Amino acid sequence: MRELRIHGRGGQGSVTAAELIAVAAFEGGMHAQAFPAFGVERRGAPVQAFVRFDNKKIRLRSQIYEPDYIIVQDSTLIKDVNVFFGMKEGGIAIVNTEKAIDSPVPKGVKVITIDATSIALQKIGLPITNTALMGAFAAASGEIAFAALEDAVKRRFRGDLATKNIAAAKAAFDAVKGAA
Amino acid sequence: MLQITEGSLAVADAVGKCRPQVIAAYPITPQTHIVEALAEMVANCTIDAEYITVESEFSALSACLGASAAGSRVYSATTSQGLALMFEVCFNCAGMRLPVVMTIANRALGAPLSIWNDQQDSISLRDSGWLQFYAEDNQEATDLHYLAYRVSEDHSVLLPSFVCFDGFILSHTYEPVDILSQEEVDRYLPRFRPFQRLDADDPISFGLFAAPDYYMEFRYEIDQAAKKALSVFPKAGREFAELFGRDYSGLVESYRMEDADCALVAMGSLCGTVKDAIDDLRDAGRKVGLLKIRTFRPFPAEEVKKALSGVSRVAVLDKNISLGSKGAVALEVKDALYGSQIPVHDYIIGLGGRDVQKKDIARVVTLAEEGKGDLYYGLREEVLK
């Protein structure tokens, strides 16, 4: 079983991102589970959402404390929240930022930075980064195929909005693949 | 067909396919997504039901009571404070022998206010005459609705049912669920056939008044009807298994109980985490098993006694506390095992949404082996000073 923890702020679509990633993983033939860590959500407050992937039925219901992957939707969270908590050696952290990370990162964790906000503004016209970060996650982790991601986005959004979100995901996917 | 969906939406889909004729509910977190989805189905005419919007949970269940007495299949859903507000109507539904089915998205009760999960809400209605079924995952949560209508409407039972699934932990989780088609559900669940109903041309009365010379007999009959569900539920489960392969015929379910030395007892979504913890413990050579309680009301004391007869100790995980006494499940288990020498340790755990991890389950097993029980697991040190 592999585990993903998404750190975001209320309103940034962390829960939607978790659901879409789980849907894409399921479409790709895996078992997947997505759930939010419900707190007292306000816009801008730190929030978390979780995804598990396995090739068999997932029974575990606890929150995720030792993730294989994290997605950080807003790099300003790093100074408020220990986003790297529990990360294992060999883990992958995908961080939305236009700069390099200047905070300490656990040993053996690979950090991939992506300017998802600029991609989202360019492709969608809004600073909603979850589909761009999904693209980056698909490229970095290999847990979901891009075609499955596309299916999941099309199921959630209609028409033009789906097209724009897929474009954002593709741009981030290509950027991460290109950098690798 | 296997689909990945949110627990609440899977439940709403199943309820819609049970063809309820009247739905009345008041939105409350974490139940809201279920009733929103059903309201949408009614508005879009994808189901043929009357959706009664009400100003409170008391009114929601009162509307269900009236509609059920008039001969309709009815549905509601609630949680926590909402269920507390229905308290009086709950007893009336059971007393009038109305087969209402209601989903409980289990949540803690205030004060202090908590929107998070435990099972205090439904457990607090244990003496109301409602049958109570607990789901481990969203597949079971959806399927138990089909069984609940079958059992509640059985003319030898005629009692209302709670289908309990843990708030947020299941209600807000996306996971794969096998969604039955309308034709499949229709094959399992026939149209509602009321035993008796309000009819202006043939008047009867429900739930009026019983003087001391008859009241006890009514209570006896309700109790007998609840106990009748001990045989009706397994039959409904077997018939479901014959059609769809998933077997809910057990009032309890054993997991790796063969040769188990220590048995954990749990209800609801905690069972999934416990099963994973047991696999790890077994790999480490510890003889541990799980007894999952599916029907808390009626309580399957005989099945519990039989399943636990060979173990050296029992550790009950209670997501509730009967304040001033013990966890409600432990009380039942102790009663079932009365006269045996098997120690039963109670652990109050996961109240108000406190997360339970595999390592917590392993710790509970160790505590039970050390004979340390009847405690709140994982309390902050400062309250113990």
Side-chain angles (χ1 to χ4, degrees):
Chain A
M1 181 156 60
R2 282 91 55 212
E3 298 179 313
L4 161 67
R5 190 171 65 209
I6 302 174
H7 293 272
R9 293 189 183 276
Q12 286 185 325
S14 309
V15 176
T16 305
E19 288 167 11
L20 288 172
I21 289 171
V23 170
F26 175 76
E27 295 303 329
M30 255 189 287
H31 282 270
Q33 178 199 62
F35 59 105
F38 268 88
V40 274
E41 296 85 5
R42 302 168 306 277
R43 284 209 167 252
V47 297
Q48 291 178 37
F50 309 101
V51 189
R52 291 194 165 97
F53 311 91
D54 208 340
N55 48 15
K56 60 180 197 295
K57 186 181 163 173
I58 298 164
R59 302 182 298 198
L60 190 62
R61 299 284 170 192
S62 55
Q63 297 183 7
I64 290 173
Y65 300 92
E66 293 181 352
D68 299 275
Y69 314 109
I70 62 165
I71 293 176
V72 183
Q73 290 194 291
D74 182 336
S75 61
T76 65
L77 278 168
I78 296 176
K79 63 180 187 330
D80 297 334
V81 179
N82 183 4
V83 296
F84 299 108
F85 177 76
M87 279 203 83
K88 301 172 199 167
E89 202 158 329
I92 299 173
I94 296 157
V95 183
N96 173 26
T97 177
E98 74 275 19
K99 309 182 291 238
I101 302 292
D102 54 8
S103 52
V105 173
K107 190 170 152 280
V109 171
K110 184 177 172 189
V111 176
I112 293 172
T113 60
I114 176 107
D115 187 0
T117 306
S118 296
I119 292 173
L121 283 170
Q122 198 194 341
K123 302 290 181 186
I124 310 170
L126 291 167
I128 304 293
T129 58
N130 49 13
T131 42
L133 288 165
M134 273 178 78
F137 174 75
S141 69
E143 293 289 354
I144 48 177
F146 193 80
L149 183 158
E150 228 178 308
D151 278 353
V153 172
K154 277 184 194 158
R155 242 207 255 177
R156 180 84 181 205
F157 305 106
R158 301 259 170 263
D160 194 36
L161 199 54
T163 311
K164 286 175 174 176
N165 275 285
I166 290 165
K170 186 76 171 84
F173 183 89
D174 290 344
V176 171
K177 278 283 181 212
Chain B
M1 198 179 91
L2 201 62
Q3 291 176 27
I4 185 160
T5 186
E6 193 195 63
S8 293
L9 301 183
V11 164
D13 177 86
V15 169
K17 285 170 181 158
C18 290
R19 300 185 185 273
Q21 292 154 296
V22 175
I23 300 168
Y26 192 78
I28 176 170
T29 299
Q31 152 267 34
T32 313
H33 292 182
I34 303 172
V35 295
E36 278 177 354
L38 284 165
E40 203 172 300
M41 288 180 210
V42 173
N44 291 339
C45 300
T46 52
I47 61 171
D48 185 18
E50 184 82 26
Y51 192 104
I52 305 175
T53 48
V54 287
E55 92 304 342
S56 73
E57 285 86 357
F58 183 91
S59 295
L61 194 57
S62 296
C64 286
L65 179 149
S68 183
S72 302
R73 179 174 285 165
V74 304
Y75 174 78
S76 191
T78 193
T79 179
S80 183
Q81 319 295 119
L83 182 59
L85 193 54
M86 290 176 173
F87 185 93
E88 177 184 345
V89 195
C90 281
F91 279 72
N92 280 331
C93 285
M96 294 187 208
R97 310 292 297 277
L98 300 173
V100 180
V101 171
M102 181 153 69
T103 310
I104 308 296
N106 284 112
R107 168 183 147 179
L109 274 162
L113 178 72
S114 167
I115 60 163
W116 293 275
N117 166 253
D118 63 34
Q119 294 165 346
Q120 192 69 57
D121 48 2
S122 49
I123 290 285
S124 297
L125 267 294
R126 64 177 187 179
D127 300 336
S128 64
W130 285 62
L131 312 177
Q132 298 194 15
F133 313 129
Y134 287 80
E136 175 183 334
D137 54 28
N138 284 327
Q139 185 69 64
E140 188 169 13
T142 57
D143 292 341
L144 283 177
H145 285 83
Y146 308 125
L147 269 76
Y149 277 110
R150 280 285 293 266
V151 176
S152 278
E153 292 173 1
D154 190 292
H155 286 183
S156 68
V157 177
L158 291 173
L159 284 174
S161 293
F162 292 153
V163 177
C164 304
F165 80 141
D166 287 318
F168 292 121
I169 299 172
L170 293 181
S171 66
H172 285 60
T173 288
Y174 270 68
E175 64 184 13
V177 176
D178 180 28
I179 302 286
L180 297 182
S181 69
Q182 184 65 64
E183 294 67 36
E184 287 174 312
V185 176
D186 287 345
R187 256 189 284 151
Y188 180 71
L189 183 65
R191 296 293 174 113
F192 181 40
R193 195 169 50 87
F195 177 72
Q196 54 184 6
R197 64 184 188 90
L198 293 176
D199 181 351
D201 294 330
D202 184 14
I204 54 165
S205 60
F206 278 78
L208 274 182
F209 174 82
D213 53 350
Y214 270 105
Y215 181 83
M216 273 181 72
E217 283 69 19
F218 277 97
R219 301 298 286 170
Y220 170 77
E221 290 200 330
I222 300 166
D223 187 35
Q224 288 299 107
K227 284 166 181 159
K228 186 76 188 163
L230 291 169
S231 57
V232 174
F233 185 94
K235 186 167 168 283
R238 278 193 297 277
E239 287 175 27
F240 189 87
E242 279 164 23
L243 285 173
F244 309 116
R246 294 185 291 276
D247 190 353
Y248 303 106
S249 61
L251 303 165
V252 298
E253 198 181 283
S254 292
Y255 182 76
R256 305 194 75 168
M257 282 291 287
E258 71 288 348
D259 80 344
D261 183 47
C262 176
L264 291 150
V265 178
M267 296 201 303
S269 65
L270 197 50
C271 293
T273 302
V274 170
K275 286 175 180 176
D276 272 18
I278 286 173
D279 285 358
D280 292 352
L281 291 164
R282 285 271 178 180
D283 288 346
R286 311 266 292 272
K287 290 184 175 175
V288 189
L290 166 71
L291 184 68
K292 162 176 151 179
I293 310 280
R294 183 174 281 125
T295 60
F296 181 68
R297 282 291 179 273
F299 192 80
E302 280 306 314
E303 287 75 6
V304 168
K305 186 180 171 183
K306 195 171 158 220
L308 297 176
S309 63
V311 305
S312 313
R313 57 188 57 78
V314 177
V316 182
L317 303 170
D318 261 303
K319 270 194 172 182
N320 72 85
I321 171 67
S322 181
L323 298 168
S325 179
K326 292 186 170 62
V329 182
L331 287 170
E332 300 285 349
V333 171
K334 285 184 187 206
D335 175 60
L337 294 183
Y338 181 73
S340 84
Q341 297 304 311
I342 305 168
V344 178
H345 303 294
D346 189 20
Y347 302 90
I348 308 299
I349 197 163
L351 299 189
R354 190 163 300 182
D355 201 26
V356 181
Q357 303 176 52
K358 283 196 291 182
K359 67 177 184 191
D360 299 318
I361 305 302
R363 178 76 188 126
V364 162
V365 171
T366 302
L367 286 167
E369 283 169 356
E370 291 167 357
K372 293 176 190 154
D374 295 354
L375 53 83
Y376 282 63
Y377 177 84
L379 273 190
R380 288 172 179 276
E381 291 290 324
E382 60 261 34
V383 303
L384 297 171
K385 279 174 195 157

